[in-house]
Amino acid sequence: MKVAENQALDQLNTFGISARAGMVITIETEEDLLSAPGLDPARDLLLGGGSNVLFVTDVPGIVYLNRIRGIEIIGEDREGILLEVGAGENWHELVTWSVARGFSGIENLALIPGLAGAAPMQNIGAYGVELASVLDSVTAWDWHTANWVVLSRQQCLLGYRDSVFKAAPPDRYLITSIRLILKKHFTAQVAYSGLAAELEKSSTGSTGLADVYAAVIRLRRQKLPDPAVIGNAGSFFKNPLLPTALYQQLHDRFPALPSWDAGDPGTKVSAAWLIEHCDLKGFEKNGAAVSSQHALVLVNQGHCSGLDIWELAQLVQARVWDTFGVRLEPEPRIFRHADVS
Ligand code: FAD
Ligand code: NAP
């Protein structure tokens, strides 16, 4: 366990926001947790790679960095493998590791920034695949009972960018490892139209495991602002899931609004379209901007504060509400401490 007081968080969030933590504690083994001081959700925060978090204020207490490593095959049969992954493993490197060995199931999730331990938090998803389709279980430290818990996939209550970990009191569970079931026999998951089109464009036209992995990486590099170039946390808003009646009303008024049947919760509509049709794509205030490349992404154009990004987010929410009567919900974790300016 490493302990450092009064630390800058600038390099620990992909927005590149300047913020400080009273203390940063790096957890490197499960045993470290037995001697950790505990977690006060009002003052402290768990952090992985910082790619889905916005610091509106400093963190007055402790930032716990989870850096427990390790990738191990703990079960195997003719169909597939059961993989145990330390929460501190880099997610994209894990995808690369599995593709290189011919294990499939997570190739559509290539190049998602961040660490494996945060993946269940919002049931990461891209190109028609979600973590839910491969997750077996999650092992976590429960700060409330000061004990370990193992949650099955069902107990994780995974939904669209959602899970029990988001619903639980903030940071109740510190995820230390995840177990994934990966397949030995590959079936391409290419129902997502953009991915199918990208595969057709490639010179070979083949849809093997490595082809899908490479196509996802190409698409992401073309379409998404790179946090190494301009600070961002990916999609700032979730695509709203609307009940049927509300969706029908909206569709009657705006037939061009892109939508997808989301089964039980209703119809998913494109948040990016709603934002673009409020004329906000490229809108900038105090160095915080709606990306001109991708309307769902808010960017730090240089040295804006977390509060500047948060005020822009609220402006976007208000404009979409006034124009369409739809509430946009932020996707990243917003850290705000009441007593810190
Ligand atoms: P952090 O940002 O560090 O933390 C996110 C949340 O998880 C926080 O609430 C934190 O407290 C909690 N947390 C972190 N680690 C743990 C742990 N070990 N135990 C308990 N809680 C923990 N997301 C998608 O779903 N799909 C995408 O395609 C996608 N693309 C992105 C593209 C870009 C360019 C960027 C910047 C982000 C993108 N994201 C995407 C969002 C983000 O990368 C994912 O949500 C990722 O899983 C966050 O991982 P992290 O380690 O950076 O988490
Ligand atoms: P895109 O392909 O241009 O599509 C835009 C939006 O339309 C996406 O948000 C996606 O919803 C939705 N969509 C498109 N086709 C769909 C289909 N067949 N079924 C259901 N929904 C569909 O998206 P993009 O912005 O370039 O991103 C590509 C993928 O990476 C998407 O899956 C996106 O979620 C993911 N991504 C996520 C983040 C993040 O931070 N969460 C950031 C970048 C990219 P979904 O979002 O539900 O897929």
Side-chain angles (χ1 to χ4, degrees), residues 51-52 108 112-113 122 124-130 160-161 191-195 216 219-220 223-225 232-239 258-261 268-272 294 296-297 331:
S51 65
N52 215 17
N108 293 38
I112 296 182
Q122 70 160 13
I124 54 169
Y127 300 101
V129 170
E130 290 181 340
Y160 171 63
R161 305 285 190 267
Y192 197 95
S193 54
L195 180 55
V216 168
L219 276 174
R220 294 186 73 100
K223 292 193 69 176
L224 299 170
N232 74 85
S235 304
F236 197 90
F237 299 104
K238 297 182 192 180
N239 288 317
S259 65
W260 300 270
D261 181 12
K268 186 173 81 175
V269 299
S270 165
H294 198 309
L296 259 192
V297 180
E331 187 180 292

Side-chain angles (χ1 to χ4, degrees), residues 103-109 126-134 181-183 185-197 199 207-209 211-213 215-216 219:
F103 301 131
S104 60
I106 52 177
E107 57 285 353
N108 293 38
L109 305 179
Y127 300 101
V129 170
E130 290 181 340
L131 182 77
S133 62
V134 294
I181 298 171
L182 301 182
K183 294 200 188 81
H185 309 289
F186 174 63
T187 312
Q189 303 181 79
V190 291
Y192 197 95
S193 54
L195 180 55
L199 281 157
T207 56
L209 175 56
D211 302 304
V212 173
Y213 166 81
V216 168
L219 276 174

Side-chain angles (χ1 to χ4, degrees), residues 1-2 26-30 32 65-69:
M1 181 164 78
K2 292 195 188 96
T26 307
I27 302 292
E28 291 166 314
T29 65
E30 294 185 345
D32 284 349
L65 291 183
N66 191 321
R67 298 296 183 261
I68 299 173
R69 306 291 304 266

Side-chain angles (χ1 to χ4, degrees), residues 23 25 38 48 68 103 105 110 140 178 185 188 199 218 268 288 298-299 327 340:
M23 186 180 282
I25 296 186
I68 299 173
F103 301 131
I178 61 174
H185 309 289
L199 281 157
R218 279 198 306 279
K268 186 173 81 175
L298 302 188
V299 294
R327 286 201 189 285
V340 186

Side-chain angles (χ1 to χ4, degrees), residues 280 283 285 290 310-320:
L280 285 170
F283 177 85
K285 193 176 174 198
V290 178
W310 184 231
E311 286 177 350
L312 175 67
Q314 290 173 306
L315 181 149
V316 171
Q317 284 175 313
R319 290 276 280 276
V320 168

Side-chain angles (χ1 to χ4, degrees), residues 197-312:
E198 178 64 25
L199 281 157
E200 273 170 29
K201 270 197 313 197
S202 78
S203 53
T204 60
S206 48
T207 56
L209 175 56
D211 302 304
V212 173
Y213 166 81
V216 168
I217 291 176
R218 279 198 306 279
L219 276 174
R220 294 186 73 100
R221 290 204 169 123
Q222 282 157 25
K223 292 193 69 176
L224 299 170
D226 179 355
V229 178
I230 186 160
N232 74 85
S235 304
F236 197 90
F237 299 104
K238 297 182 192 180
N239 288 317
L241 297 172
L242 303 182
T244 311
L246 177 56
Y247 168 69
Q248 271 308 334
Q249 284 172 18
L250 208 60
H251 177 70
D252 291 346
R253 287 170 59 208
F254 306 101
L257 170 64
S259 65
W260 300 270
D261 181 12
D264 213 4
T267 304
K268 186 173 81 175
V269 299
S270 165
W273 189 95
L274 298 173
I275 296 169
E276 280 191 56
H277 286 79
C278 290
D279 281 334
L280 285 170
K281 195 171 181 181
F283 177 85
E284 183 267 336
K285 193 176 174 198
N286 298 333
V290 178
S291 168
S292 49
Q293 193 178 340
H294 198 309
L296 259 192
V297 180
L298 302 188
V299 294
N300 172 5
Q301 289 194 315
H303 301 287
C304 77
S305 67
L307 185 59
D308 292 327
I309 298 278
W310 184 231
E311 286 177 350
L312 175 67

